[in-house]
C-alpha cells in the first residue's frame, strides 16, 4: 500500500464475495452522481448513467505473529522501575475491506473504500473514503492517509514492519517515555504526516501519471479522523493543528531491466500553541530494482511536532526475491528531540536492524519471519536504555 500512489503497482485484495447494494435507484442515482460530478470535477464531465449499481467486494488481510524477545529489565523514567519484558508474545493485525465502484457512461468512476479493524480498537473503522477517477486524475474524500504518506518509498522489508513501528509489539519503550513519534513520525517511520495526523478527514487530488511522474496534494481542516464539527481556528494553547496542506510526488520507470522509483513530499499545518512554530514534515525515498534485487532507502523529518518537537529518521535496505522466496536486510535510525509539549523527557534515539524472510505457500497465503535487534537510548538522563533481540514469525493471509 505504501510508496505507490493511487496508480502505482501494489498488492490488491482478491474479491471472493459480493454484497449487492440498492441504496439508490433510477433517476435518483443519476441526480446524485451528476451532483457529485459537478462538485468534484468542476462541471466539466457531467452526465451519464451508471453502467451498473455499486457492488461491494469483501477483501483484506490477517497477520498472526508469535515471537520471543530478550531485553533489559528495570526499564522506566525517573527510577524505581521493576519490569521484566523478556519472554514470548503474540500479536495480530487484521483488517476487513469493503470496496466497490461503478463507471458512468462518460467514463467517470465513483467508488468507496471502508476498512474495518479486525481487532477491538479505539479506531475501529480505519480508512473510510469516497473516490472519483477520470481523465483528470483521481480525487479522494474522507478519512485516509495524505498524498505525502501514500506516495513515499523506503527500504524494502519482507517481514514485520521495520518502517512502521511494528517492533513496538515486541520491544519496550518504557525507559524513554513511550512510543510517541514512532507512528507517522520520523522517530519510527519515514512515512510521515504533519502532526502525525492519522487518517484525518480531508480531500486529496492526484494527477494522472505522465512519463512516470505523478503529483498529489492533500488538504485537511484539522487532525480529526471522524469528527464533522466546525473547526475552531482560534489560538487556544491546546496543542491542536489546523489547515494542514501536504504534497507528494514520485517518479516510477523502467530502464533496460532496471526499475527506478523516487519520491518526495512536504506538509505544513497551523499550530494552536502560543509561541510555537507551525508543524511541518518532509520526506524523500528511492528504490532501485534489478534481477530480483531491490535496494532502497529514505529520509524524513518531523519538525515542531506539537507533542515531541523535532524528529529525524532514515533507513537503508536490500531485498532479493525469486519464485516463492524473498529475503531482506534493513536498518532504521530514529531520533526524537522531545522539545514539544511533552518536554525533553521524551528525548531519545533508536537503531533497529531486521533480517527477514517470507515464503508464499499459495495464492493469498505466505509465511514471514524476522530476526531483529534494537538499541533504544535515553538522551535526557532520566530514563533507561534498552537493548533487545527478538525473533518473530507467522502466517500472513490476504483475501
Amino acid at each position: 500500500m505504501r510508496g505507490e500512489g493511487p496508480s502505482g503497482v501494489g498488492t490488491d485484495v482478491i474479491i471472493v464475495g459480493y454484497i449487492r447494494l440498492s441504496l439508490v435507484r433510477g433517476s435518483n442515482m443519476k441526480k446524485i452522481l451528476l451532483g457529485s460530478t459537478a462538485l468534484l470535477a468542476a462541471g466539466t464531465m457531467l452526465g451519464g448513467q451508471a453502467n451498473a449499481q455499486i457492488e461491494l467486494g469483501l477483501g483484506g488481510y490477517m497477520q498472526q505473529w508469535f515471537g520471543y524477545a530478550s531485553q533489559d529489565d528495570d526499564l522506566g523514567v525517573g527510577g524505581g522501575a521493576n519490569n521484566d519484558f523478556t519472554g514470548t508474545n503474540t500479536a495480530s493485525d487484521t483488517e476487513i475491506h469493503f470496496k466497490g465502484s461503478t463507471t458512468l457512461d462518460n467514463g467517470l468512476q465513483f467508488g468507496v473504500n471502508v476498512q474495518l479493524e479486525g481487532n477491538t480498537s479505539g479506531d475501529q473503522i480505519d480508512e473510510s473514503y469516497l473516490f472519483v477517477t477520470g481523465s483528470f486524475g483521481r480525487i479522494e474524500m474522507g478519512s485516509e492517509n495524505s498524498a505525502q504518506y501514500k506516495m513515499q518509498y523506503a527500504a524494502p522489508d519482507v517481514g514485520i514492519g521495520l518502517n512502521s513501528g511494528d517492533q513496538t509489539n515486541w520491544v519496550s519503550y518504557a525507559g524513554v517515555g513511550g512510543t510517541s513519534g514512532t507512528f507517522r513520525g520520523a522517530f519510527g517511520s519515514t512515512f510521515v504526516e504533519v502532526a502525525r495526523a492519522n487518517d484525518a478527514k480531508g480531500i486529496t487530488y492526484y494527477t494522472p501519471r505522465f512519463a512516470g511522474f505523478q503529483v498529489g496534494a492533500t488538504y485537511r481542516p484539522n487532525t480529526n479522523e471522524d469528527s464533522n464539527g466546525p473547526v475552531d481556528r482560534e489560538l487556544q494553547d491546546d496543542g491542536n493543528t489546523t489547515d494542514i496542506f501536504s504534497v507528494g510526488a514520485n517518479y516510477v520507470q523502467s530502464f533496460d531491466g532496471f526499475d527506478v522509483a523516487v519520491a518526495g513530499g512536504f506538509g505544513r499545518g497551523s499550530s494552536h500553541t502560543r509561541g510555537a512554530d507551525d508543524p511541518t514534515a518532509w520526506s524523500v525515498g528511492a528504490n532501485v530494482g534489478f534481477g530480483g534485487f531491490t535496494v532502497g532507502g529514505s529520509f524524513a523529518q518531523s519538525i515542531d511536532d506539537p507533542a515531541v518537537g523535532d524528529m529525524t529518521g532514515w533507513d537503508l535496505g536490500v531485498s532479493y526475491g525469486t519464485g516463492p522466496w524473498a529475503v531482506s536486510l534493513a536498518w532504521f535510525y530514529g531520533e526524537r528531540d522531545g522539545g514539544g509539549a511533552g518536554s525533553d523527557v521524551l528525548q531519545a534515539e533508536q537503531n533497529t536492524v531486521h533480517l527477514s524472510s517470507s515464503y508464499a505457500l499459495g495464492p493469498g497465503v505466505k509465511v514471514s519471519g524476522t530476526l531483529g535487534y534494537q538499541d533504544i537510548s535515553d538522551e535526557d538522563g532520566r530514563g533507561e536504555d534498552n537493548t533487545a533481540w527478538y525473533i518473530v514469525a507467522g502466517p500472513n493471509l490476504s483475501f
Side-chain angles (χ1 to χ4, degrees):
M1 295 175 66
R2 297 191 182 98
E4 294 151 2
S7 57
V9 178
T11 302
D12 292 328
V13 298
I14 301 173
I15 296 176
V16 297
Y18 289 98
I19 302 174
R20 186 169 184 82
L21 299 182
S22 298
L23 300 180
V24 289
R25 297 181 181 275
S27 61
N28 289 332
M29 167 70 88
K30 184 175 182 179
K31 291 177 182 177
I32 292 174
L33 292 175
L34 290 181
S36 300
T37 305
L39 173 64
L40 299 175
T44 60
M45 300 180 181
L46 295 179
Q49 182 72 28
N51 293 325
Q53 289 179 295
I54 293 178
E55 295 180 332
L56 284 186
L58 289 177
Y61 65 88
M62 173 175 283
Q63 300 176 355
Q64 299 289 346
W65 303 97
F66 177 79
Y68 175 87
S70 174
Q71 51 196 312
D72 294 340
D73 298 334
D74 299 325
L75 300 173
V77 174
N82 185 17
N83 304 307
D84 182 5
F85 292 103
T86 294
T88 57
N89 194 10
T90 61
S92 63
D93 184 10
T94 302
E95 289 188 2
I96 301 172
H97 298 169
F98 303 88
K99 301 197 297 185
S101 64
T102 188
T103 301
L104 308 185
D105 291 339
N106 60 13
L108 287 180
Q109 182 185 48
F110 284 76
V112 61
N113 188 317
V114 179
Q115 301 180 14
L116 173 68
E117 294 287 353
N119 303 96
T120 301
S121 170
D123 178 24
Q124 199 64 60
I125 298 294
D126 197 9
E127 288 91 348
S128 176
Y129 61 94
L130 176 151
F131 64 87
V132 186
T133 62
S135 59
F136 61 88
R138 177 181 173 100
I139 295 171
E140 296 177 351
M141 298 184 67
S143 297
E144 170 63 320
N145 293 117
S146 70
Q148 177 182 6
Y149 182 100
K150 293 177 68 175
M151 302 185 79
Q152 170 73 337
Y153 282 90
D157 186 14
V158 302
I160 67 172
L162 171 71
N163 199 318
S164 61
D166 283 0
Q167 61 267 36
T168 61
N169 292 323
W170 313 97
V171 180
S172 172
Y173 285 60
V176 295
T179 61
S180 293
T182 305
F183 306 97
R184 295 165 300 282
F187 180 55
S189 178
T190 60
F191 296 91
V192 292
E193 298 275 23
V194 175
R196 293 176 288 127
N198 181 28
D199 299 329
K201 294 177 75 70
I203 182 169
T204 297
Y205 168 68
Y206 295 96
T207 69
R209 189 171 293 278
F210 177 74
F213 287 97
Q214 187 176 37
V215 178
T218 300
Y219 168 70
R220 293 161 161 178
N222 55 24
T223 60
N224 294 338
E225 179 175 355
D226 299 313
S227 173
N228 292 310
V231 178
D232 186 356
R233 293 176 170 84
E234 182 68 23
L235 178 64
Q236 299 174 359
D237 284 331
D238 55 9
N240 289 333
T241 304
T242 60
D243 297 311
I244 302 171
F245 292 89
S246 58
V247 295
N250 61 30
Y251 172 76
V252 181
Q253 197 61 270
S254 295
F255 303 95
D256 298 326
F258 284 89
D259 298 319
V260 177
V262 181
F266 176 82
R268 178 184 291 272
S270 296
S271 173
H272 278 222
T273 300
R274 197 177 308 274
D277 293 329
D278 292 337
T280 62
W282 67 275
S283 54
V284 293
N287 279 181
V288 177
F290 179 77
F293 285 95
T294 300
V295 179
S298 60
F299 180 87
Q301 282 191 316
S302 302
I303 303 172
D304 295 310
D305 182 272
V308 294
D310 298 343
M311 294 175 282
T312 299
W314 58 289
D315 70 353
L316 291 171
V318 58
S319 69
Y320 177 75
T322 178
W325 281 102
V327 295
S328 64
L329 177 64
W331 170 51
F332 185 94
Y333 170 81
E335 183 178 10
R336 185 177 68 189
D337 289 348
S343 80
D344 63 351
V345 71
L346 298 177
Q347 188 174 359
E349 67 176 26
Q350 62 136 321
N351 280 278
T352 306
V353 178
H354 279 184
L355 176 62
S356 301
S357 66
S358 68
Y359 182 79
L361 299 174
V365 181
K366 68 178 180 179
V367 177
S368 302
T370 292
L371 174 63
Y373 168 81
Q374 186 171 51
D375 178 74
I376 308 174
S377 300
D378 169 69
E379 298 296 314
D380 57 42
R382 285 170 284 188
E384 300 290 340
D385 298 345
N386 187 16
T387 300
W389 290 90
Y390 45 97
I391 183 167
V392 181
N396 300 180
L397 311 180
S398 61
F399 51 91

